[in-house]
Amino acid sequence: MPGIRTAAQAKAWLEHQGKSVQAFAREHGVDPATTYQVLAGRKKGRRGEAHKVAVLLGMKEGIILNETQSPSNDQEIGS
């Protein structure tokens, strides 16, 4: 990824793709309300669903764990 996006850049990225926030959320199986909150800065994306949304939008680097994975099974960062 070339860099971390700001909220404004993430919104512009969605617009450039012709996707609404609702469509993005459906496509990635995340809550639309959480997606709006991350884009508005009301949620920082530190954990849970907000973390997943922020990573998918390119607003932060991170790992998205599957529901079957646990944090103890983390892969090394940078590998």
Side-chain angles (χ1 to χ4, degrees):
M1 183 179 297
I4 302 300
R5 292 184 180 110
T6 64
Q9 290 169 330
K11 289 176 192 176
W13 176 70
L14 286 173
E15 187 175 318
H16 180 72
Q17 294 183 43
K19 286 186 187 175
S20 67
V21 173
Q22 292 279 335
F24 173 85
R26 275 192 307 271
E27 180 179 313
H28 293 284
V30 294
D31 180 44
T34 301
T35 306
Y36 281 111
Q37 290 169 344
V38 169
L39 286 168
R42 288 190 297 275
K43 289 196 175 191
K44 303 298 180 198
R46 291 191 178 114
R47 61 189 73 82
E49 181 101 352
H51 168 81
K52 181 177 180 179
V53 168
V55 172
L56 289 170
L57 287 170
M59 294 175 64
K60 77 177 272 190
E61 291 183 10
I63 297 170
I64 300 172
L65 297 176
N66 293 333
E67 292 177 8
T68 58
Q69 292 177 314
S70 67
S72 62
N73 292 341
D74 282 350
Q75 298 172 352
E76 285 185 43
I77 295 176
S79 53

